[in-house]
Amino acid sequence: MRHNVKRILVGMTGVVLVTVAGTGVAQAQPQAPAFQEPPQTKQLGGTGYAPPGGAWGPVSQSTDYVLGYPGTVIDYSYQSQSDASPIHATAKHYTNAQGSDPGPEAWSEFGAGTTGRSGPMVWGNAGAYPAMRFQSVNVLGAQVTWTAGAGVP
């Protein structure tokens, strides 16, 4: 039976060398990967539909939840997936910027075109999913992608 034996040699310069008998080459020990904190940003948004003929499409709700606090605002942006289909957009928000009561839910229309961006809309102390609705302004319908961002101005 052969045993691995460690030998420590001290040279004239005082350097310590460690060898393992029987291997000839020191093997590196596996290292655990460094911890990396996951990104803290979520992409709020979704896809919606503006039906042909000027009707409002169904509500498109984000799959991510926003838990606001007094002073929180939210902004929305959208883009029609067809350059020939301008649309109107409306977005959900709340009415009380300060205090513990977020106030009633409100929908505000902003922009008309193939792209648009709202200004800051009050979200306040609400806990809810951001949402948008779209309306076509011509006989063509449109698929629409949208995003939302929450924060304090």
Side-chain angles (χ1 to χ4, degrees), residues 13-148:
T13 61
V15 176
V16 177
L17 302 172
V18 178
T19 62
V20 177
T23 62
V25 176
Q27 299 206 1
Q29 295 296 319
Q31 297 292 321
F35 175 75
Q36 293 182 351
E37 192 164 322
Q40 296 298 314
T41 57
K42 286 186 175 182
Q43 181 65 42
L44 302 169
T47 58
Y49 178 65
W56 284 97
V59 172
S60 173
Q61 181 173 283
S62 177
T63 58
D64 289 323
Y65 192 79
V66 172
L67 184 58
Y69 48 90
T72 300
V73 295
I74 191 164
D75 62 335
Y76 291 90
S77 64
Y78 69 89
Q79 181 168 358
S80 171
Q81 297 306 300
S82 169
D83 291 337
S85 296
I87 54 177
H88 288 283
T90 186
K92 180 171 86 172
H93 63 98
Y94 293 87
T95 57
N96 185 8
Q98 303 299 326
S100 60
D101 179 7
E105 178 180 296
W107 288 80
S108 291
E109 189 173 339
F110 68 94
T114 55
T115 64
R117 178 174 217 81
S118 75
M121 294 182 173
V122 173
W123 192 265
N125 201 35
Y129 296 93
M132 290 191 74
R133 288 181 69 186
F134 304 98
Q135 175 189 41
S136 62
V137 295
N138 62 19
V139 296
L140 304 174
Q143 290 289 332
V144 183
T145 56
W146 64 274
T147 60

